[in-house]
Amino acid sequence: MTAKSQARWTEDALTALRVGRGFRLENLDPASTPGYGGGKKDGEKDLAAGLDQLAEYQERLYAASRGGTARDSVLLVLQAMDSAGKGGIVRHVVGGVDPQGIQLAAFKAPTEDELAHDFLWRIEKRVPGPGLIGVFDRSHYEDVLIGRVRGLAEPEEIERRYGAIVDFERRLTESGTRIIKVMLHISPQEQGKRLLDRLERPDKHWKYNPGDVDERSQWPAYMAAYETVLRRTSTDDAPWFVVPADRKWYARLAVQELLLETLEQIDPQWPVASFDVDAEKARLTATL
């Protein structure tokens, strides 16, 4: 639990939001605020306060790999139904730190070239290197979510992919990457309100996709697909965290707290100077 908001976080976000044995989406209220005892105004204050802390951690992580030998990195995976708030989290949480330390990848429908390779081929090229915080706006999980619901792959291939994902993520963690997999859990009612808001505002029309209405008709199938993903791919190395997303302020705060607690565990340190600081001060002073 980070120092900046421990009075209102009654439990670590890494614990409160982690998918455990027997977890069911239907038992989690999308409007709830697990682990957090404050309201909207408190959450907005804590989010603002956490930006400076996140920025410092990010700079230390970056510096430890560039000026030292650290191999740590962080990968934030964001998965959700449309309009659940992935873009808002990228802007309001990750957008507040130095962009040179962030690597953002938004995965859309695969190209012909990507389809000619294994589904993980395009993903592996975008994993964050040492010192970076990577963000996947959608990810390899599309291939076992849309792939399953829309029948874009044979059932046997979908089954193979679950195992391939677990192996892939294990390799990443072994190389020094901390993976934070977040499902933003929005209710169909709240999603409908947000989509309608996009239609009523000309400045939001560009965000509206007519296909979103078609996807809503598949809601039960998508929830079943997510349940399977959570059950089959939440591991000790790379657990899933389900964040209720009907309250935008809470979703943003919760993801920020997951990042802060993870970086706190890594505890990146400023690299030690490889030169004699006092000698360099004397040399520089002599030039003034």
Side-chain angles (χ1 to χ4, degrees):
M1 188 181 301
T2 55
K4 55 95 181 173
S5 61
Q6 54 184 252
R8 284 183 283 269
W9 278 99
T10 58
E11 187 177 15
D12 287 347
L14 287 172
T15 301
L17 299 169
R18 181 168 177 160
V19 169
R21 189 182 301 275
F23 175 84
R24 296 294 301 273
L25 281 173
E26 63 185 17
N27 295 332
L28 179 63
D29 182 356
S32 62
T33 59
Y36 189 73
K40 182 177 181 179
K41 290 185 177 180
D42 296 321
E44 290 172 344
K45 289 179 182 178
D46 285 339
L47 182 69
L51 287 177
D52 289 340
Q53 192 175 3
L54 185 60
E56 181 185 337
Y57 270 130
Q58 180 270 322
E59 187 177 5
R60 281 165 50 183
L61 183 74
Y62 188 78
S65 69
R66 297 306 187 269
T69 60
R71 304 292 298 171
D72 301 294
S73 63
V74 175
L75 174 59
L76 173 63
V77 175
L78 297 174
Q79 282 290 155
M81 298 295 285
D82 291 305
S83 79
K86 299 187 304 301
I89 285 171
V90 171
R91 289 191 302 276
H92 296 282
V93 178
V94 184
V97 305
D98 189 337
Q100 73 174 338
I102 301 297
Q103 183 174 309
L104 175 64
F107 292 99
K108 306 299 184 182
T111 65
E112 289 187 13
D113 184 40
E114 290 169 342
L115 286 171
H117 296 79
D118 183 71
F119 79 105
L120 287 172
W121 179 75
R122 66 174 181 161
I123 306 296
E124 292 186 13
K125 296 193 297 181
R126 305 300 299 274
V127 298
L132 298 178
I133 297 177
V135 182
F136 282 179
D137 182 349
R138 300 191 185 278
S139 66
H140 41 298
Y141 284 99
E142 293 293 283
D143 295 283
V144 288
L145 290 167
I146 293 178
R148 170 177 166 170
V149 174
R150 292 296 181 183
L152 302 179
E154 295 297 326
E156 296 79 8
E157 171 60 13
I158 297 294
E159 281 295 314
R160 182 193 73 83
R161 290 175 181 177
Y162 295 128
I165 286 171
V166 171
D167 291 342
F168 164 63
E169 292 177 348
R170 182 183 301 115
R171 294 197 305 272
L172 279 185
T173 59
E174 289 174 349
S175 69
T177 300
R178 302 288 185 100
I179 305 175
I180 307 171
K181 300 187 298 191
V182 173
M183 178 203 173
L184 298 172
H185 184 37
I186 190 173
S187 67
Q189 294 80 13
E190 178 64 21
Q191 189 212 43
K193 292 177 183 177
R194 294 183 188 181
L195 292 177
L196 185 59
D197 181 62
R198 292 179 181 179
L199 287 173
E200 292 177 340
R201 293 179 53 181
D203 63 324
K204 298 291 185 180
H205 287 173
W206 66 276
K207 297 181 68 175
Y208 183 82
N209 181 352
D212 292 344
V213 178
D214 299 324
E215 294 298 284
R216 279 175 62 79
S217 68
Q218 297 290 329
W219 197 278
Y222 273 109
M223 293 303 101
Y226 269 108
E227 291 275 11
T228 302
V229 160
L230 298 175
R231 184 176 70 253
R232 298 287 296 275
T233 65
S234 190
T235 65
D236 290 339
D237 295 322
W240 272 100
F241 302 93
V242 178
V243 174
D246 275 12
R247 302 177 191 268
K248 292 181 181 180
W249 66 266
Y250 173 78
R252 293 167 184 172
L253 179 67
V255 173
Q256 182 190 75
E257 188 69 10
L258 288 170
L259 280 168
L260 284 171
E261 290 176 12
T262 298
L263 288 163
E264 199 170 58
Q265 289 179 354
I266 296 173
D267 192 21
Q269 298 298 307
W270 297 113
V272 177
S274 59
F275 47 84
D276 186 322
V277 175
D278 290 334
E280 289 304 306
K281 284 182 180 179
R283 291 180 63 231
L284 180 57
T285 301
T287 68
L288 298 178

